[in-house]
Amino acid sequence: MQIRTLAALLCGCTLMSAAVAETIAVDDQVQVRESPTPIPKRGSTMGDVEKQFGAPVTRHPTVGGGSPHQPPITRWDYNGFSVVFERDRVIDAVVVASAAPAPAAPSPPTGDAAPDTPAAPAAPAASADAAAASTGG
């Protein structure tokens, strides 16, 4: 019985494709596109990942692992993607955004004046006119 289950599981895994996609937000719209970045396959071991992609740029400390319901989770960061492991197996790989700076969001309109033009002080001129009128001059 276990052999049949294992054989069915292996057949199902080989039929699954390894599609990788990026989620992108453009003008407040979410878009998904396929990513050309190669990433490790789910189920690969830490050793397999290191053989295929080399040493990670950052190895984050393992969290969890205190109980069977909270297994140890580790994240490795590479240039362009991060890999998340449960114990020593890949459970997810995420393509990260490029390091290019995001375009600045346009500032909301503040009136008719140009943003870099300082406003002319109106109060002192009005008080000078009032002072001149009261002195008769």
Side-chain angles (χ1 to χ4, degrees), residues 63-83:
V63 296
S67 73
H69 298 290
Q70 295 179 341
I73 303 293
T74 308
R75 188 178 97 210
W76 289 359
D77 293 336
Y78 286 86
N79 291 324
F81 65 94
S82 293
V83 184

Side-chain angles (χ1 to χ4, degrees), residues 2-95:
Q2 289 180 346
I3 293 175
R4 288 184 191 166
T5 304
L6 182 59
L9 181 62
L10 288 175
C11 289
C13 289
T14 56
L15 295 175
M16 294 173 60
S17 65
V20 178
E22 290 181 271
T23 303
I24 303 164
V26 178
D27 296 327
D28 295 331
Q29 299 291 319
V30 176
Q31 301 174 359
V32 178
R33 72 172 185 192
E34 295 222 10
S35 174
T37 305
I39 59 173
K41 293 180 182 177
R42 185 171 291 172
S44 300
T45 65
M46 287 180 167
D48 294 339
V49 172
E50 199 156 9
K51 283 178 193 172
Q52 184 177 0
F53 297 96
V57 174
T58 306
R59 292 178 197 242
H60 295 273
T62 300
V63 296
S67 73
H69 298 290
Q70 295 179 341
I73 303 293
T74 308
R75 188 178 97 210
W76 289 359
D77 293 336
Y78 286 86
N79 291 324
F81 65 94
S82 293
V83 184
V84 181
F85 299 92
E86 182 179 305
R87 294 183 175 82
D88 73 330
R89 298 287 177 162
V90 173
I91 58 171
D92 203 2
V94 181
V95 176

